[in-house]
Coordinates of all heavy atoms in Angstrom, one line a residue:
M16 N 125.7 80.4 -36.5 CA 126.8 79.7 -35.8 C 127.8 80.7 -35.2 O 128.4 80.4 -34.2 CB 127.5 78.9 -36.9 CG 128.8 78.2 -36.4 SD 128.4 76.6 -35.7 CE 130.0 76.0 -35.3
N17 N 128.0 81.9 -35.8 CA 129.0 82.9 -35.3 C 128.7 83.3 -33.8 O 129.6 83.3 -33.0 CB 129.1 84.1 -36.2 CG 129.8 83.8 -37.5 OD1 130.4 82.7 -37.6 ND2 129.7 84.7 -38.4
S18 N 127.5 83.7 -33.5 CA 127.2 84.1 -32.1 C 127.3 82.9 -31.2 O 127.9 83.0 -30.1 CB 125.8 84.7 -32.0 OG 124.8 83.8 -32.4
N19 N 126.9 81.8 -31.6 CA 127.0 80.5 -30.9 C 128.5 80.2 -30.6 O 128.9 79.8 -29.6 CB 126.3 79.4 -31.6 CG 126.1 78.2 -30.8 OD1 126.3 78.2 -29.6 ND2 125.6 77.1 -31.4
F20 N 129.3 80.4 -31.7 CA 130.7 80.1 -31.6 C 131.4 81.0 -30.6 O 132.2 80.5 -29.8 CB 131.3 80.4 -33.0 CG 132.8 80.1 -33.1 CD1 133.3 78.8 -33.3 CD2 133.7 81.2 -33.0 CE1 134.7 78.6 -33.4 CE2 135.1 81.0 -33.1 CZ 135.5 79.7 -33.2
A21 N 131.0 82.3 -30.6 CA 131.6 83.2 -29.6 C 131.3 82.8 -28.2 O 132.1 82.9 -27.3 CB 131.0 84.6 -29.9
D22 N 130.1 82.2 -27.9 CA 129.7 81.7 -26.6 C 130.5 80.5 -26.3 O 131.0 80.3 -25.1 CB 128.2 81.4 -26.5 CG 127.4 82.7 -26.6 OD1 127.9 83.8 -26.3 OD2 126.2 82.5 -27.0
I23 N 130.7 79.6 -27.2 CA 131.4 78.3 -27.0 C 132.8 78.6 -26.6 O 133.4 78.0 -25.7 CB 131.3 77.4 -28.3 CG1 129.9 77.0 -28.5 CG2 132.3 76.3 -28.2 CD1 129.6 76.3 -29.8
I24 N 133.5 79.5 -27.3 CA 135.0 79.7 -27.1 C 135.2 80.5 -25.8 O 136.4 80.5 -25.3 CB 135.7 80.4 -28.2 CG1 135.2 81.8 -28.5 CG2 135.6 79.5 -29.5 CD1 136.0 82.6 -29.5
K25 N 134.2 81.0 -25.1 CA 134.3 81.7 -23.8 C 134.4 80.7 -22.7 O 134.5 81.1 -21.5 CB 133.2 82.7 -23.6 CG 133.3 83.9 -24.5 CD 132.2 84.9 -24.3 CE 132.1 86.0 -25.3 NZ 130.9 86.7 -25.4
S26 N 134.2 79.4 -23.0 CA 134.2 78.4 -21.9 C 135.4 78.5 -21.0 O 136.5 78.8 -21.4 CB 134.1 77.0 -22.6 OG 134.2 76.0 -21.6
D27 N 135.2 78.1 -19.7 CA 136.3 78.0 -18.8 C 137.2 76.9 -19.1 O 138.4 76.9 -18.8 CB 135.7 77.9 -17.3 CG 135.2 79.2 -16.8 OD1 135.5 80.3 -17.4 OD2 134.5 79.2 -15.8
K28 N 136.6 75.8 -19.7 CA 137.5 74.7 -20.1 C 137.9 74.8 -21.5 O 137.3 75.5 -22.3 CB 136.8 73.4 -19.8 CG 135.6 73.0 -20.7 CD 135.1 71.7 -20.4 CE 133.8 71.3 -21.1 NZ 133.3 70.0 -20.7
P29 N 139.1 74.3 -21.9 CA 139.6 74.4 -23.2 C 138.6 73.9 -24.3 O 138.0 72.8 -24.0 CB 140.9 73.6 -23.2 CG 141.3 73.4 -21.8 CD 140.0 73.5 -21.0
V30 N 138.6 74.5 -25.4 CA 137.7 74.1 -26.5 C 138.6 73.9 -27.7 O 139.3 74.9 -28.2 CB 136.6 75.2 -26.8 CG1 135.8 74.7 -28.0 CG2 135.8 75.5 -25.6
L31 N 138.7 72.7 -28.2 CA 139.5 72.4 -29.4 C 138.6 72.4 -30.6 O 137.6 71.6 -30.6 CB 140.2 71.0 -29.2 CG 141.1 70.6 -30.4 CD1 142.3 71.5 -30.5 CD2 141.5 69.2 -30.2
I32 N 138.8 73.2 -31.6 CA 138.0 73.3 -32.8 C 138.7 72.7 -33.9 O 139.8 73.1 -34.2 CB 137.6 74.7 -33.0 CG1 136.9 75.3 -31.8 CG2 136.7 74.8 -34.2 CD1 137.0 76.7 -31.6
D33 N 138.0 71.8 -34.6 CA 138.6 71.1 -35.8 C 137.8 71.6 -37.0 O 136.7 71.3 -37.2 CB 138.4 69.6 -35.6 CG 138.7 68.8 -36.9 OD1 139.6 69.3 -37.7 OD2 138.2 67.7 -37.1
F34 N 138.5 72.5 -37.8 CA 138.0 72.9 -39.1 C 138.3 71.8 -40.1 O 139.5 71.6 -40.3 CB 138.5 74.3 -39.5 CG 137.9 75.4 -38.7 CD1 138.5 75.8 -37.5 CD2 136.8 76.0 -39.2 CE1 137.9 76.9 -36.8 CE2 136.2 77.1 -38.5 CZ 136.8 77.5 -37.3
F35 N 137.3 71.2 -40.7 CA 137.5 70.1 -41.6 C 136.6 70.2 -42.8 O 135.7 71.1 -42.9 CB 137.2 68.8 -40.9 CG 135.7 68.5 -40.7 CD1 135.1 67.6 -41.6 CD2 135.0 69.1 -39.7 CE1 133.7 67.4 -41.4 CE2 133.6 68.9 -39.6 CZ 133.0 68.1 -40.5
A36 N 136.9 69.3 -43.8 CA 136.0 69.2 -44.9 C 135.8 67.7 -45.2 O 136.7 66.9 -45.0 CB 136.6 69.8 -46.2
T37 N 134.6 67.3 -45.6 CA 134.2 65.9 -45.8 C 135.1 65.3 -46.9 O 135.4 64.1 -46.8 CB 132.7 65.7 -46.1 OG1 132.4 66.6 -47.3 CG2 131.9 66.1 -45.0
W38 N 135.5 66.1 -47.9 CA 136.3 65.5 -49.0 C 137.8 65.5 -48.7 O 138.6 65.1 -49.5 CB 136.1 66.4 -50.2 CG 136.2 67.9 -49.9 CD1 135.1 68.7 -49.7 CD2 137.3 68.7 -49.8 NE1 135.5 70.0 -49.4 CE2 136.9 70.0 -49.4 CE3 138.7 68.4 -49.9 CZ2 137.8 71.0 -49.2 CZ3 139.6 69.5 -49.7 CH2 139.2 70.8 -49.3
C39 N 138.2 65.9 -47.5 CA 139.6 66.0 -47.2 C 140.2 64.8 -46.5 O 139.7 64.4 -45.4 CB 139.8 67.2 -46.2 SG 141.3 67.3 -45.3
G40 N 141.2 64.1 -47.2 CA 141.8 62.9 -46.7 C 142.4 63.1 -45.3 O 142.1 62.3 -44.4
P41 N 143.3 64.1 -45.1 CA 143.9 64.3 -43.8 C 142.9 64.5 -42.7 O 143.1 64.1 -41.6 CB 144.8 65.5 -44.0 CG 145.2 65.4 -45.5 CD 143.9 64.9 -46.2
C42 N 141.8 65.2 -43.1 CA 140.7 65.4 -42.1 C 140.1 64.1 -41.6 O 139.8 64.0 -40.4 CB 139.6 66.3 -42.7 SG 140.1 67.9 -43.2
Q43 N 140.0 63.2 -42.5 CA 139.4 61.9 -42.1 C 140.4 61.1 -41.2 O 140.0 60.4 -40.4 CB 139.1 61.1 -43.4 CG 137.9 61.7 -44.1 CD 137.7 61.2 -45.5 OE1 138.4 60.3 -46.0 NE2 136.8 61.8 -46.3
Q44 N 141.7 61.3 -41.5 CA 142.8 60.7 -40.6 C 142.7 61.3 -39.2 O 143.0 60.6 -38.2 CB 144.2 61.0 -41.2 CG 144.5 60.2 -42.4 CD 145.9 60.6 -42.9 OE1 146.2 61.8 -43.1 NE2 146.8 59.6 -43.1
L45 N 142.4 62.6 -39.1 CA 142.4 63.3 -37.8 C 141.2 62.9 -37.0 O 141.3 62.9 -35.7 CB 142.5 64.8 -38.1 CG 142.7 65.7 -36.9 CD1 144.0 65.4 -36.2 CD2 142.6 67.2 -37.3
S46 N 140.1 62.6 -37.6 CA 138.9 62.3 -36.8 C 139.1 61.3 -35.7 O 138.7 61.5 -34.6 CB 137.8 61.9 -37.8 OG 136.5 62.0 -37.2
P47 N 139.6 60.1 -36.0 CA 139.8 59.1 -34.9 C 140.8 59.5 -33.9 O 140.7 59.2 -32.7 CB 140.2 57.8 -35.6 CG 140.7 58.2 -37.0 CD 140.0 59.5 -37.3
I48 N 141.8 60.3 -34.3 CA 142.8 60.9 -33.3 C 142.1 61.8 -32.3 O 142.3 61.7 -31.1 CB 143.9 61.6 -34.1 CG1 144.7 60.6 -34.9 CG2 144.8 62.4 -33.1 CD1 145.7 61.3 -35.9
L49 N 141.1 62.6 -32.8 CA 140.4 63.5 -31.9 C 139.5 62.7 -31.0 O 139.3 63.1 -29.8 CB 139.6 64.5 -32.7 CG 140.4 65.5 -33.5 CD1 139.5 66.4 -34.3 CD2 141.3 66.4 -32.6
K50 N 139.0 61.6 -31.4 CA 138.2 60.7 -30.6 C 139.0 60.2 -29.4 O 138.6 60.2 -28.3 CB 137.5 59.6 -31.3 CG 136.6 58.8 -30.5 CD 135.9 57.7 -31.2 CE 135.0 56.9 -30.4 NZ 135.2 56.8 -29.0
E51 N 140.3 59.8 -29.8 CA 141.2 59.3 -28.7 C 141.6 60.4 -27.8 O 141.7 60.2 -26.6 CB 142.5 58.8 -29.4 CG 142.3 57.5 -30.2 CD 143.5 57.1 -30.9 OE1 144.7 57.6 -30.6 OE2 143.4 56.3 -31.9
V52 N 141.7 61.7 -28.3 CA 142.0 62.8 -27.4 C 140.8 63.0 -26.4 O 141.1 63.2 -25.2 CB 142.2 64.1 -28.2 CG1 142.3 65.3 -27.3 CG2 143.5 64.0 -29.0
K53 N 139.6 62.9 -26.9 CA 138.4 63.1 -26.1 C 138.4 62.0 -25.0 O 138.1 62.2 -23.9 CB 137.2 63.1 -26.9 CG 135.9 63.4 -26.2 CD 135.9 64.7 -25.5 CE 134.6 65.0 -24.8 NZ 134.6 66.2 -24.0
D54 N 138.7 60.7 -25.5 CA 138.7 59.6 -24.5 C 139.7 59.8 -23.4 O 139.5 59.5 -22.3 CB 138.9 58.3 -25.3 CG 137.8 57.9 -26.2 OD1 136.7 58.5 -26.0 OD2 138.0 57.0 -27.0
A55 N 140.9 60.4 -23.8 CA 142.0 60.6 -22.8 C 141.7 61.7 -21.9 O 142.0 61.6 -20.7 CB 143.3 60.9 -23.6
L56 N 141.1 62.8 -22.4 CA 140.9 64.0 -21.5 C 139.5 64.1 -21.0 O 139.2 64.9 -20.1 CB 141.3 65.2 -22.3 CG 142.7 65.4 -22.8 CD1 142.9 66.6 -23.6 CD2 143.6 65.4 -21.5
G57 N 138.5 63.4 -21.5 CA 137.2 63.4 -21.0 C 136.5 64.7 -21.0 O 136.7 65.5 -22.0
D58 N 135.9 65.1 -19.9 CA 135.1 66.3 -19.8 C 136.0 67.5 -19.5 O 135.5 68.6 -19.4 CB 134.1 66.2 -18.7 CG 132.9 65.3 -19.1 OD1 132.7 65.1 -20.4 OD2 132.2 64.8 -18.3
S59 N 137.3 67.3 -19.5 CA 138.2 68.5 -19.2 C 138.4 69.3 -20.5 O 139.0 70.4 -20.4 CB 139.5 68.1 -18.6 OG 140.3 67.3 -19.6
V60 N 137.9 68.8 -21.6 CA 138.1 69.6 -22.9 C 136.8 69.4 -23.7 O 136.1 68.3 -23.6 CB 139.3 69.1 -23.7 CG1 139.2 67.6 -24.1 CG2 139.6 70.0 -24.9
S61 N 136.4 70.4 -24.5 CA 135.3 70.3 -25.5 C 136.0 70.2 -26.8 O 136.9 70.9 -27.1 CB 134.4 71.5 -25.4 OG 133.8 71.5 -24.2
I62 N 135.4 69.3 -27.7 CA 135.9 69.3 -29.1 C 134.8 69.6 -30.0 O 133.7 69.0 -29.9 CB 136.5 67.9 -29.4 CG1 137.8 67.6 -28.5 CG2 136.9 67.8 -30.8 CD1 138.4 66.3 -28.6
L63 N 135.0 70.5 -30.9 CA 134.0 71.0 -31.8 C 134.5 70.8 -33.2 O 135.6 71.2 -33.5 CB 133.7 72.5 -31.5 CG 132.7 73.2 -32.4 CD1 131.3 72.6 -32.1 CD2 132.7 74.7 -32.1
K64 N 133.7 70.1 -34.0 CA 134.0 70.0 -35.4 C 133.2 71.0 -36.3 O 132.0 71.1 -36.1 CB 133.7 68.5 -35.9 CG 134.7 67.5 -35.1 CD 134.4 66.1 -35.6 CE 134.9 65.8 -37.0 NZ 136.3 65.8 -37.2
V65 N 133.9 71.7 -37.1 CA 133.3 72.7 -38.0 C 133.6 72.4 -39.5 O 134.7 72.4 -39.9 CB 133.8 74.1 -37.7 CG1 133.2 75.1 -38.6 CG2 133.5 74.5 -36.2
D66 N 132.5 72.1 -40.2 CA 132.7 71.8 -41.6 C 132.8 73.1 -42.4 O 131.9 73.9 -42.4 CB 131.4 71.0 -42.1 CG 131.5 70.6 -43.6 OD1 132.2 71.2 -44.4 OD2 130.8 69.6 -43.9
V67 N 134.0 73.3 -43.0 CA 134.3 74.6 -43.6 C 133.4 74.9 -44.8 O 133.1 76.0 -45.1 CB 135.8 74.7 -44.1 CG1 136.7 74.7 -42.9 CG2 136.2 73.6 -45.0
D68 N 132.9 73.8 -45.5 CA 132.0 74.0 -46.6 C 130.6 74.5 -46.1 O 129.9 75.3 -46.8 CB 131.8 72.7 -47.4 CG 133.1 72.4 -48.1 OD1 133.8 73.3 -48.6 OD2 133.4 71.2 -48.2
K69 N 130.2 74.1 -44.9 CA 128.9 74.6 -44.4 C 129.0 75.8 -43.6 O 128.0 76.4 -43.2 CB 128.3 73.4 -43.6 CG 127.9 72.2 -44.4 CD 127.3 71.1 -43.5 CE 127.0 69.9 -44.4 NZ 126.7 68.7 -43.5
N70 N 130.2 76.2 -43.2 CA 130.4 77.3 -42.3 C 131.5 78.2 -42.9 O 132.5 78.5 -42.2 CB 130.8 76.9 -40.9 CG 129.7 76.1 -40.2 OD1 128.7 76.6 -39.8 ND2 129.8 74.8 -40.3
Q71 N 131.4 78.6 -44.1 CA 132.4 79.4 -44.8 C 132.7 80.7 -44.1 O 133.9 81.1 -44.0 CB 132.0 79.6 -46.3 CG 132.1 78.3 -47.1 CD 131.6 78.5 -48.5 OE1 131.3 79.5 -48.9 NE2 131.6 77.4 -49.2
E72 N 131.7 81.4 -43.7 CA 131.9 82.7 -43.0 C 132.7 82.5 -41.7 O 133.6 83.3 -41.5 CB 130.5 83.3 -42.7 CG 130.5 84.7 -42.2 CD 129.1 85.2 -41.9 OE1 128.2 85.0 -42.7 OE2 129.0 85.9 -40.9
L73 N 132.4 81.5 -40.9 CA 133.1 81.3 -39.7 C 134.6 80.9 -40.0 O 135.5 81.4 -39.4 CB 132.5 80.2 -38.9 CG 133.1 79.8 -37.6 CD1 133.2 81.0 -36.7 CD2 132.4 78.7 -36.9
A74 N 134.8 80.1 -41.0 CA 136.1 79.7 -41.4 C 136.9 80.9 -41.8 O 138.1 81.1 -41.5 CB 136.1 78.6 -42.5
A75 N 136.3 81.8 -42.6 CA 137.0 83.0 -43.1 C 137.3 83.9 -41.9 O 138.4 84.5 -41.8 CB 136.1 83.7 -44.1
M76 N 136.3 84.0 -41.0 CA 136.5 84.9 -39.8 C 137.7 84.4 -39.0 O 138.5 85.1 -38.4 CB 135.3 84.8 -38.9 CG 135.2 85.8 -37.8 SD 133.6 85.8 -37.0 CE 133.9 84.4 -35.9
Q77 N 137.9 83.0 -38.9 CA 139.0 82.4 -38.2 C 140.3 82.3 -39.0 O 141.3 81.7 -38.6 CB 138.6 81.1 -37.6 CG 137.5 81.2 -36.6 CD 137.9 81.9 -35.3 OE1 139.0 81.7 -34.8 NE2 137.1 82.9 -34.9
Q78 N 140.2 82.8 -40.2 CA 141.4 82.8 -41.2 C 141.9 81.4 -41.4 O 143.1 81.1 -41.5 CB 142.5 83.7 -40.6 CG 142.1 85.1 -40.5 CD 143.1 86.0 -39.9 OE1 144.1 85.6 -39.3 NE2 142.9 87.3 -39.9
V79 N 140.9 80.5 -41.6 CA 141.3 79.1 -41.9 C 141.4 79.0 -43.4 O 140.5 79.3 -44.2 CB 140.2 78.1 -41.4 CG1 140.4 76.7 -41.9 CG2 140.0 78.1 -39.9
R80 N 142.7 78.7 -43.8 CA 143.0 78.7 -45.3 C 143.2 77.3 -45.8 O 143.2 77.1 -47.0 CB 144.2 79.6 -45.6 CG 143.9 81.0 -45.3 CD 145.0 81.9 -45.7 NE 144.7 83.3 -45.5 CZ 144.7 84.0 -44.4 NH1 145.1 83.4 -43.3 NH2 144.3 85.3 -44.4
G81 N 143.4 76.3 -44.9 CA 143.6 74.9 -45.2 C 143.0 74.0 -44.2 O 142.7 74.5 -43.1
V82 N 142.6 72.8 -44.6 CA 142.1 71.9 -43.7 C 142.9 70.6 -43.6 O 143.5 70.3 -44.6 CB 140.6 71.5 -44.0 CG1 139.7 72.7 -43.7 CG2 140.4 71.1 -45.5
P83 N 143.0 70.0 -42.5 CA 142.4 70.3 -41.2 C 143.2 71.5 -40.5 O 144.4 71.5 -40.7 CB 142.5 69.1 -40.4 CG 143.7 68.3 -40.9 CD 143.7 68.7 -42.4
T84 N 142.5 72.3 -39.8 CA 143.1 73.3 -39.0 C 142.5 73.2 -37.6 O 141.3 73.1 -37.4 CB 142.9 74.7 -39.5 OG1 143.6 74.9 -40.7 CG2 143.3 75.8 -38.5
L85 N 143.3 73.1 -36.6 CA 142.9 73.0 -35.2 C 143.1 74.3 -34.5 O 144.2 74.9 -34.7 CB 143.7 71.9 -34.5 CG 143.5 70.5 -35.0 CD1 144.5 69.5 -34.3 CD2 142.1 70.0 -34.7
L86 N 142.1 74.8 -33.7 CA 142.3 76.0 -32.9 C 142.0 75.6 -31.5 O 141.0 74.8 -31.3 CB 141.3 77.1 -33.4 CG 141.4 77.5 -34.8 CD1 140.4 78.6 -35.1 CD2 142.8 78.1 -35.2
L87 N 142.7 76.1 -30.5 CA 142.4 75.8 -29.1 C 142.1 77.2 -28.5 O 142.9 78.1 -28.5 CB 143.7 75.2 -28.4 CG 143.5 74.9 -27.0 CD1 142.4 73.8 -26.8 CD2 144.8 74.4 -26.3
Y88 N 140.9 77.2 -28.0 CA 140.4 78.4 -27.3 C 140.1 78.1 -25.8 O 139.8 77.0 -25.5 CB 139.1 78.9 -27.9 CG 139.3 79.8 -29.1 CD1 139.2 79.3 -30.4 CD2 139.4 81.2 -28.9 CE1 139.3 80.1 -31.5 CE2 139.6 82.0 -30.0 CZ 139.5 81.5 -31.3 OH 139.6 82.3 -32.4
Q89 N 140.3 79.1 -25.0 CA 139.8 79.0 -23.6 C 139.5 80.4 -23.1 O 140.3 81.3 -23.3 CB 140.8 78.3 -22.7 CG 140.3 78.0 -21.3 CD 141.3 77.3 -20.4 OE1 142.4 77.0 -20.8 NE2 140.8 76.9 -19.2
K90 N 138.4 80.6 -22.5 CA 137.9 81.9 -22.0 C 138.0 83.0 -23.1 O 138.4 84.1 -22.8 CB 138.8 82.3 -20.8 CG 138.6 81.4 -19.6 CD 139.4 81.7 -18.4 CE 139.1 80.7 -17.3 NZ 140.0 80.9 -16.1
G91 N 137.7 82.6 -24.3 CA 137.7 83.6 -25.4 C 139.0 83.9 -26.0 O 139.1 84.6 -27.0
Q92 N 140.1 83.3 -25.5 CA 141.5 83.5 -26.0 C 141.9 82.4 -26.9 O 141.8 81.2 -26.5 CB 142.5 83.6 -24.9 CG 142.4 84.9 -24.1 CD 143.5 85.0 -23.1 OE1 143.5 84.3 -22.1 NE2 144.5 85.8 -23.3
L93 N 142.5 82.7 -28.0 CA 143.1 81.7 -28.9 C 144.5 81.4 -28.3 O 145.4 82.2 -28.2 CB 143.3 82.2 -30.3 CG 144.0 81.3 -31.3 CD1 143.2 80.0 -31.5 CD2 144.2 82.0 -32.6
L94 N 144.6 80.1 -27.9 CA 145.9 79.7 -27.2 C 146.8 79.0 -28.2 O 148.0 78.9 -27.9 CB 145.5 78.7 -26.1 CG 144.5 79.2 -25.0 CD1 144.3 78.1 -24.0 CD2 145.1 80.4 -24.3
W95 N 146.3 78.4 -29.3 CA 147.1 77.6 -30.1 C 146.4 77.4 -31.5 O 145.2 77.3 -31.5 CB 147.4 76.3 -29.4 CG 148.1 75.2 -30.2 CD1 149.5 75.1 -30.4 CD2 147.6 74.0 -30.7 NE1 149.7 74.0 -31.1 CE2 148.6 73.3 -31.3 CE3 146.3 73.5 -30.8 CZ2 148.4 72.0 -31.9 CZ3 146.1 72.3 -31.4 CH2 147.1 71.6 -32.0
R96 N 147.2 77.2 -32.5 CA 146.7 77.0 -33.8 C 147.6 76.0 -34.6 O 148.8 76.2 -34.5 CB 146.6 78.3 -34.6 CG 146.2 78.3 -36.0 CD 146.3 79.7 -36.6 NE 145.4 79.6 -37.8 CZ 144.2 80.2 -37.9 NH1 143.8 80.9 -36.9 NH2 143.6 80.0 -39.0
Q97 N 147.0 75.1 -35.3 CA 147.8 74.1 -36.0 C 147.1 73.6 -37.2 O 145.9 73.3 -37.2 CB 148.1 72.9 -35.1 CG 148.7 71.7 -35.7 CD 150.2 71.8 -36.0 OE1 150.9 72.4 -35.2 NE2 150.6 71.4 -37.1
S98 N 147.8 73.6 -38.3 CA 147.2 73.0 -39.6 C 147.9 71.7 -39.8 O 149.1 71.5 -39.6 CB 147.5 74.0 -40.8 OG 146.7 75.1 -40.6
G99 N 147.1 70.8 -40.4 CA 147.6 69.4 -40.7 C 147.3 68.4 -39.6 O 146.8 68.8 -38.5
V100 N 147.6 67.2 -39.9 CA 147.4 66.1 -39.0 C 148.5 66.0 -38.0 O 149.7 66.0 -38.4 CB 147.2 64.7 -39.7 CG1 147.0 63.6 -38.8 CG2 146.1 64.8 -40.7
I101 N 148.2 65.9 -36.7 CA 149.3 65.7 -35.7 C 148.8 64.6 -34.7 O 147.6 64.2 -34.7 CB 149.6 67.0 -34.9 CG1 148.4 67.5 -34.1 CG2 150.2 68.0 -35.8 CD1 148.8 68.6 -33.1
S102 N 149.7 64.0 -34.0 CA 149.4 62.9 -33.1 C 148.5 63.2 -31.9 O 148.5 64.4 -31.5 CB 150.6 62.2 -32.7 OG 151.3 63.0 -31.7
K103 N 147.9 62.2 -31.4 CA 147.1 62.3 -30.2 C 148.0 62.9 -29.0 O 147.6 63.8 -28.3 CB 146.5 61.0 -29.8 CG 145.9 60.9 -28.4 CD 145.7 59.5 -27.9 CE 145.5 59.5 -26.4 NZ 145.6 58.2 -25.8
A104 N 149.2 62.3 -28.9 CA 150.1 62.7 -27.9 C 150.4 64.2 -28.0 O 150.4 64.9 -26.9 CB 151.4 61.9 -27.9
Q105 N 150.7 64.7 -29.2 CA 151.0 66.1 -29.4 C 149.8 67.0 -29.0 O 149.9 68.1 -28.4 CB 151.3 66.4 -30.8 CG 152.7 65.9 -31.2 CD 152.9 66.1 -32.7 OE1 152.2 65.5 -33.5 NE2 153.9 66.9 -33.1
I106 N 148.6 66.6 -29.4 CA 147.4 67.3 -29.1 C 147.1 67.4 -27.6 O 146.9 68.4 -27.0 CB 146.1 66.8 -29.8 CG1 146.3 66.9 -31.3 CG2 144.9 67.5 -29.4 CD1 145.3 66.2 -32.2
V107 N 147.2 66.2 -26.9 CA 147.0 66.1 -25.5 C 148.0 67.0 -24.7 O 147.6 67.8 -23.9 CB 147.0 64.7 -25.0 CG1 147.1 64.6 -23.5 CG2 145.8 63.9 -25.5
Q108 N 149.3 66.9 -25.1 CA 150.3 67.7 -24.5 C 150.0 69.2 -24.6 O 150.2 70.0 -23.7 CB 151.7 67.3 -25.0 CG 152.8 68.1 -24.4 CD 154.2 67.8 -24.9 OE1 154.3 67.2 -26.0 NE2 155.2 68.3 -24.3
T109 N 149.6 69.6 -25.9 CA 149.4 71.0 -26.1 C 148.2 71.5 -25.3 O 148.3 72.6 -24.6 CB 149.0 71.2 -27.6 OG1 150.2 70.8 -28.4 CG2 148.7 72.6 -27.9
I110 N 147.1 70.7 -25.2 CA 146.0 71.1 -24.4 C 146.4 71.3 -22.9 O 146.1 72.2 -22.2 CB 144.8 70.2 -24.5 CG1 144.2 70.3 -26.0 CG2 143.7 70.4 -23.5 CD1 143.3 69.2 -26.3
E111 N 147.2 70.3 -22.4 CA 147.6 70.3 -21.0 C 148.6 71.4 -20.7 O 148.5 72.0 -19.6 CB 148.1 69.0 -20.6 CG 147.0 67.9 -20.6 CD 147.5 66.5 -20.2 OE1 148.7 66.2 -20.4 OE2 146.7 65.7 -19.8
T112 N 149.4 71.8 -21.6 CA 150.4 72.9 -21.3 C 149.9 74.3 -21.7 O 150.4 75.2 -21.1 CB 151.7 72.6 -22.1 OG1 151.4 72.6 -23.5 CG2 152.4 71.3 -21.7
K113 N 148.9 74.4 -22.6 CA 148.4 75.7 -23.0 C 147.3 76.2 -22.1 O 146.9 77.4 -22.2 CB 148.0 75.7 -24.4 CG 149.1 75.4 -25.4 CD 149.9 76.6 -25.7 CE 150.9 76.2 -26.8 NZ 152.0 77.2 -26.9
R114 N 146.6 75.3 -21.5 CA 145.4 75.7 -20.8 C 145.6 76.8 -19.7 O 146.7 76.9 -19.2 CB 144.6 74.5 -20.1 CG 145.4 73.8 -19.0 CD 144.6 72.8 -18.3 NE 143.5 72.2 -19.0 CZ 143.1 71.0 -18.9 NH1 143.7 70.1 -18.2 NH2 142.1 70.6 -19.6
L115 N 144.6 77.6 -19.5 CA 144.8 78.7 -18.6 C 144.5 78.3 -17.2 O 143.7 77.4 -16.9 CB 143.7 79.9 -19.0 CG 143.9 80.4 -20.4 CD1 142.8 81.4 -20.7 CD2 145.3 81.1 -20.5

């Protein structure tokens, strides 16, 4: 996953990564919000879900200490990081204002 991850975050379009766990209540709350974000922004953004229990090395590499944690990358640069559940409007606004 790590080398694949490096390729994914180099994308010209923003990539929103959701580090989550299946047992995490807030993560389950965030899932439908991310679907709404994808519906709103369509192909202008990629959304990648990463299960921290199955990808512990990647989560450690990204210094994810709590779930859910959202990371926004574009062209290999980390543009934004947020832990916890936030609204669709906040996520959409962040992607639109942070994009390169």
Side-chain angles (χ1 to χ4, degrees):
M16 177 86 176
N17 286 349
S18 59
N19 195 8
F20 181 83
D22 291 338
I23 291 167
I24 65 172
K25 288 179 189 163
S26 171
D27 284 342
K28 68 180 175 182
V30 180
L31 182 66
I32 301 150
D33 171 26
F34 283 90
F35 75 100
T37 54
W38 46 263
C39 162
C42 300
Q43 292 165 5
Q44 288 177 307
L45 188 60
S46 196
I48 294 170
L49 292 177
K50 184 177 181 334
E51 291 174 17
V52 169
K53 184 63 176 172
D54 291 345
L56 296 176
D58 287 339
S59 68
V60 65
S61 296
I62 297 178
L63 178 68
K64 294 181 71 68
V65 177
D66 184 332
V67 294
D68 292 325
K69 293 180 182 168
N70 297 282
Q71 292 177 359
E72 187 180 319
L73 180 59
M76 191 177 81
Q77 293 298 313
Q78 298 175 348
V79 173
R80 293 184 175 85
V82 286
T84 293
L85 296 172
L86 303 180
L87 181 66
Y88 275 96
Q89 188 176 5
K90 297 180 181 171
Q92 286 186 288
L93 177 62
L94 304 177
W95 174 76
R96 173 184 201 108
Q97 169 75 40
S98 292
V100 177
I101 64 171
S102 71
K103 170 196 164 192
Q105 288 173 295
I106 297 171
V107 169
Q108 180 183 12
T109 298
I110 291 169
E111 289 177 341
T112 58
K113 299 278 187 195
R114 68 172 20 146
L115 299 174

